[in-house]
Amino acid sequence: MNKKLLNKTTTSFLIFSVFILLISVPVFYYITERLYLEETDETLTLHKDEFLKNELSKFDNKDIALWNKYNRNVQITPSHIAAKDTIFNKVYFDELENENEPYRELNAPIIIKGQPYTYIGRINLIETEDLVTSIAMLFLVVIVILLLGILIITKISSRKLWKPFYDTLDQIQGFEIDKNKTPRFMDTDVEEFDRLNKSLNRLIEKNTDIYNNQREFVENAAHELQTPLALFQTKIDTLFQLDITQEQSEVLSSLNKDVSRLNRLNKNLLLLSKIENENYLDKQPIVINEYLKKHLDFFTEQAKAKNLNIVIEYTEKLKIEGNPSLTEVLINNLFLNAIRHNIKNGKISIIITGDSITFLNTGQETPLVVDKLFNRFSKSNPSSQGNGLGMAIIKKITEISHWKIDYAFENNLHRFTVKF
């Protein structure tokens, strides 16, 4: 599933922020704890030095018990526990708190009246740990607020910054070269977006000019071909009246078929040109059921060559607002398409509802290529006698009439549905 560019950049920033957060908090906690331990060690050393300087010279062996009784965090024990000053962590049971608590302890060898003793100084680390934890939590909260703030501000500012780009994207998606509606892009002070808009404007102008020139050429060519084709058809009809051989008759028949195809192609091109120039804007009520009933004999006659079975199903009238000429062309092309691309002894089903008409027909056993189905001069079967404009005309009629046509291949049947 595709993601928006803004979401992708925001997601990358969020992942990076979380990664930094997960690393920075433990590191900050570790560094802060080390700093406090160093400060604690300096305090323990300072207290020991003060004891040696101010108290040791006054000490007597009999003063040790009294000292230990009234000094909780500085104890004097007989003999040398440590050969030199040693600092380490140790856990003691605190009778007042009734629990084990961690301490930072300094053991230093001392001499009192010629006897070896050990100076034991200690500092409770509970308060230190609580302080470090509180600072770390405060740091975490500040970092989270900072990251969320940056994330929100970035998203809001980015949405505003990228607004011209999304406006350009929306207009390009809705642009159709055969509609006389040129996109008008937002003014922007972002150089890249401005270059994009200018490039798109040049591209649209160039292609619109090419399209208009091509359409004008086709229209003019179709008009100019009408008279020569009519004269050609007349001369062929005249030749048929003469006394000609069988071989000549076959040649004339072949020419007559080719001229008929050219005439149909010419008429379809002219029809497309008129539709694009909006020459069919008038609308009136049309009952599709009545039109089919009126022209069913004609379509049945067309289907005889392939012995097709035609079935029409409807339970209610389909009444629409549309241009009579275009609606007739639409129904004719759908019906003739179902006949032309059918198989011998096949079938055609026409289903009419209150808001749609569906043509189902047998034919080739694989679905048609939807992407090319409604393109001009596109044929699903290259050997077909059609000119490849029928589906393009159907699509154009539905577009200008604001209807919708869908194609599907279900149960080995080709289905075309026009939703009114």
Side-chain angles (χ1 to χ4, degrees):
M1 182 178 179
N2 293 333
K3 293 182 179 179
K4 286 189 175 181
L5 178 62
L6 180 58
N7 290 340
K8 291 195 73 171
T9 54
T10 305
T11 301
S12 301
F13 175 74
L14 182 61
I15 293 172
F16 175 75
S17 301
V18 172
F19 176 74
I20 294 297
L21 183 64
L22 292 175
I23 292 178
S24 62
V25 171
V27 170
F28 176 80
Y29 179 87
Y30 174 77
I31 292 175
T32 306
E33 185 181 41
R34 294 307 306 167
L35 290 173
Y36 269 95
L37 286 177
E38 290 177 6
E39 184 67 24
T40 301
D41 294 348
E42 290 180 5
T43 302
L44 287 171
T45 303
L46 179 62
H47 288 172
K48 184 207 73 170
D49 292 341
E50 289 178 348
F51 175 83
L52 295 178
K53 180 179 180 182
N54 301 321
E55 303 293 339
L56 185 61
S57 61
K58 306 174 185 178
F59 243 69
D60 199 347
N61 295 338
K62 61 183 179 179
D63 297 327
I64 294 175
L66 187 62
W67 173 273
N68 289 341
K69 181 178 180 180
Y70 292 103
N71 288 275
R72 183 179 180 183
N73 292 326
V74 177
Q75 299 285 298
I76 307 297
T77 61
S79 73
H80 286 168
I81 298 175
K84 61 179 181 179
D85 291 1
T86 307
I87 299 177
F88 53 89
N89 291 337
K90 191 172 183 180
V91 176
Y92 286 95
F93 181 78
D94 193 321
E95 294 180 355
L96 295 177
E97 298 292 339
N98 194 31
E99 63 181 7
N100 291 325
E101 292 187 355
Y103 283 81
R104 191 71 170 169
E105 185 172 302
L106 166 66
N107 290 347
I110 59 175
I111 302 294
I112 300 176
K113 303 300 181 180
Q115 297 295 321
Y117 287 87
T118 299
Y119 169 91
I120 300 175
R122 63 189 182 190
I123 294 178
N124 195 323
L125 293 179
I126 286 292
E127 293 181 359
T128 303
E129 287 186 351
D130 291 343
L131 181 59
V132 172
T133 303
S134 299
I135 293 175
M137 291 302 296
L138 179 62
F139 174 78
L140 175 63
V141 171
V142 171
I143 290 296
V144 168
I145 293 174
L146 180 63
L147 291 178
L148 287 176
I150 293 174
L151 185 64
I152 293 171
I153 292 172
T154 301
K155 194 162 187 176
I156 293 174
S157 60
S158 296
R159 187 180 290 113
K160 183 178 180 181
L161 178 66
W162 285 87
K163 187 176 180 181
F165 173 78
Y166 287 115
D167 176 76
T168 298
L169 189 62
D170 290 338
Q171 293 206 51
I172 289 298
Q173 284 180 330
F175 173 70
E176 295 181 28
I177 197 168
D178 56 342
K179 302 288 193 303
N180 295 322
K181 186 179 179 182
T182 304
R184 296 183 62 84
F185 303 122
M186 287 180 62
D187 293 330
T188 174
D189 57 357
V190 179
E191 181 183 353
E192 288 79 6
F193 293 161
D194 185 58
R195 287 173 57 192
L196 174 66
N197 291 346
K198 288 179 179 178
S199 299
L200 287 173
N201 273 324
R202 288 195 298 268
L203 184 64
I204 289 171
E205 289 175 4
K206 183 177 180 179
N207 281 275
T208 300
D209 289 341
I210 292 173
Y211 173 79
N212 288 332
N213 291 336
Q214 183 186 44
R215 189 172 68 175
E216 185 178 353
F217 169 78
V218 171
E219 184 178 352
N220 291 338
H223 276 292
E224 293 298 326
L225 282 172
Q226 278 183 303
T227 302
L229 285 174
L231 292 173
F232 197 9
Q233 184 67 62
T234 302
K235 290 180 179 179
I236 290 175
D237 293 339
T238 302
L239 289 173
F240 268 120
Q241 305 301 319
L242 301 177
D243 187 14
I244 56 178
T245 64
Q246 179 66 29
E247 184 179 353
Q248 291 171 332
S249 177
E250 291 176 357
V251 172
L252 287 175
S253 296
S254 177
L255 286 173
N256 190 52
K257 287 181 181 179
D258 291 337
V259 171
S260 297
R261 288 185 63 188
L262 282 172
N263 271 318
R264 287 198 304 273
L265 174 61
N266 200 55
K267 288 178 180 178
N268 285 335
L269 287 173
L270 285 173
L271 176 61
L272 274 173
S273 177
K274 289 179 180 179
I275 293 173
E276 288 171 344
N277 291 329
E278 299 182 345
N279 291 346
Y280 297 96
L281 296 178
D282 57 307
K283 295 183 178 181
Q284 64 185 57
I286 303 169
V287 179
I288 300 297
N289 311 58
E290 295 178 357
Y291 177 83
L292 279 174
K293 184 178 179 181
K294 181 179 178 181
H295 295 85
L296 185 59
D297 290 341
F298 168 75
F299 294 120
T300 303
E301 185 67 28
Q302 297 294 316
K304 273 185 178 181
K306 292 185 177 180
N307 193 30
L308 303 178
N309 180 35
I310 300 175
V311 178
I312 301 178
E313 302 176 16
Y314 60 89
T315 55
E316 55 185 316
K317 285 187 177 181
L318 175 55
K319 190 174 183 179
I320 66 170
E321 287 285 330
N323 180 272
S325 298
L326 293 185
T327 304
E328 180 179 343
V329 172
L330 175 71
I331 301 299
N332 286 354
N333 279 12
L334 285 170
F335 216 141
L336 293 174
N337 180 73
I339 295 172
R340 184 178 297 116
H341 298 287
N342 218 313
I343 57 176
K344 283 193 175 183
N345 302 315
K347 65 177 181 178
I348 298 174
S349 296
I350 303 171
I351 302 173
I352 300 174
T353 65
D355 62 352
S356 68
I357 181 170
T358 300
F359 285 80
L360 295 143
N361 65 274
T362 50
Q364 70 177 46
E365 297 179 354
T366 57
L368 305 177
V369 182
V370 179
D371 293 341
K372 299 180 179 180
L373 182 58
F374 297 103
N375 293 347
R376 296 184 183 186
F377 303 106
S378 175
K379 291 185 179 184
S380 58
N381 182 5
S383 62
S384 171
Q385 295 298 311
N387 49 49
L389 289 175
M391 298 311 299
I393 292 173
I394 291 172
K395 183 67 173 177
K396 198 68 183 177
I397 292 173
T398 56
E399 284 179 353
I400 68 167
S401 302
H402 305 293
W403 301 333
K404 184 180 179 182
I405 183 165
D406 290 315
Y407 165 77
F409 185 68
E410 301 171 350
N411 301 320
N412 291 323
L413 292 175
H414 298 274
R415 176 179 62 82
F416 290 90
T417 300
V418 179
K419 190 90 170 177
F420 298 99

